[in-house]
Amino acid sequence: KAGVTQTPRYLIKTRGQQVTLSCSPISGHRSVSWYQQTPGQGLQFLFEYFSETQRNKGNFPGRFSGRQFSNSRSEMNVSTLELGDSALYLCASSLDLWAGEAFFGQGTRLTVV
Amino acid sequence: AQKVTQAQTEISVVEKEDVTLDCVYETRDTTYYLFWYKQPPSGELVFLIRRNSFDEQNEISGRYSWNFQKSTSSFNFTITASQVVDSAVYFCALSEAGGGADGLTFGKGTHLIIQP
């Protein structure tokens, strides 16, 4: 059974640019959540999607957005990148809306220069 | 608001020693879930255990065991006879029943170093 796949694994962008990250959940899983991990703030919840609808959103500015497609694949977008957006972005896949355990991908390491 | 505290930033032990990772949580909800995740150098978070607030029974899985005590709001994790492969960052996490607006709330993590 394939795990959670995140692409790309590594990304370098310039301040002011925008970026799109992709997450393919485990087959059959309908919930996808996104987290930002930085050395200073640790792991922080960005948002959760279920059945193509954003169900929950963390405390991040509107520059961070996402969507989920009918096949449960999800993308997150960050516009007008800032240096502080440099982080590891992790995607988590769950069978149902927080039914319990979540399976994480290896993340996308975003560096903003 | 929910909060998870992992006071131990880094722990270093010699292989075969037992080690306990502490986790203290805060929540106003009566129904919630507690989790432990392991993050190896490769980056992905590996699920270890989920415990709901109504189940205070301790759990043992091989060399791993978890002690959940609602009276002290703690959910501690013990590795018995540690091995080098146990070296990783371990995160304790909390979620409200059904998810809620905060998703998973993570502690800052404990970096566990097992020396050969």
Side-chain angles (χ1 to χ4, degrees):
Chain A
K1 190 175 183 180
V4 179
T5 303
Q6 290 188 247
T7 56
R9 290 292 311 282
Y10 303 93
L11 209 49
I12 299 176
K13 288 287 189 178
T14 305
R15 265 183 309 175
Q17 286 187 313
Q18 75 165 21
V19 67
T20 299
L21 312 182
S22 179
C23 172
S24 294
I26 291 171
S27 178
H29 283 197
R30 298 184 294 168
S31 171
V32 173
S33 300
W34 290 89
Y35 290 82
Q36 181 196 64
Q37 186 176 24
T38 59
Q41 298 299 316
L43 280 154
Q44 294 184 286
F45 171 70
L46 280 157
F47 26 64
E48 178 177 18
Y49 286 88
F50 181 81
S51 294
E52 302 176 63
T53 303
Q54 185 180 91
R55 300 302 177 120
N56 296 302
K57 189 177 194 299
N59 189 25
F60 278 81
R63 300 185 296 107
F64 291 82
S65 63
R67 58 178 176 169
Q68 187 180 34
F69 302 95
S70 58
N71 62 357
S72 293
R73 190 176 71 84
S74 177
E75 290 181 346
M76 69 162 280
N77 184 277
V78 188
S79 62
T80 321
L81 284 165
E82 300 176 1
L83 294 179
D85 296 333
S86 295
L88 179 67
Y89 290 88
L90 290 162
C91 165
S93 160
S94 297
L95 190 61
D96 209 334
L97 192 65
W98 277 122
E101 62 198 83
F103 297 87
F104 284 78
Q106 289 189 301
T108 294
R109 173 75 63 186
L110 172 65
T111 302
V112 182
V113 298
Chain B
Q2 303 173 142
K3 186 178 178 182
V4 176
T5 303
Q6 295 180 256
Q8 304 148 310
T9 305
E10 184 174 289
I11 299 175
S12 181
V13 300
V14 177
E15 200 173 19
K16 293 191 176 65
E17 284 186 21
D18 298 347
V19 58
T20 296
L21 282 59
D22 298 332
C23 173
V24 174
Y25 63 92
E26 294 176 31
T27 178
R28 293 179 182 174
D29 293 331
T30 55
T31 303
Y32 52 88
Y33 293 96
L34 294 165
F35 302 79
W36 275 96
Y37 283 89
K38 173 182 179 180
Q39 187 175 42
S42 54
E44 81 276 20
L45 287 165
V46 178
F47 169 84
L48 296 177
I49 189 171
R50 178 188 73 152
R51 176 67 70 206
N52 74 54
S53 54
F54 297 108
D55 184 2
E56 285 193 75
Q57 207 169 16
N58 292 330
E59 180 152 342
I60 298 175
S61 176
R63 296 183 298 107
Y64 295 170
S65 63
W66 291 269
N67 185 312
F68 175 30
Q69 291 194 339
K70 286 179 75 171
S71 61
T72 55
S73 296
S74 65
F75 186 45
N76 297 336
F77 172 32
T78 298
I79 301 175
T80 304
S82 59
Q83 299 177 1
V84 173
V85 294
D86 295 327
S87 296
V89 180
Y90 290 84
F91 291 94
C92 181
L94 167 73
S95 77
E96 298 171 352
D102 296 329
L104 273 174
T105 298
F106 285 89
K108 293 292 189 186
T110 297
H111 185 197
L112 178 61
I113 301 168
I114 310 296
Q115 299 179 32

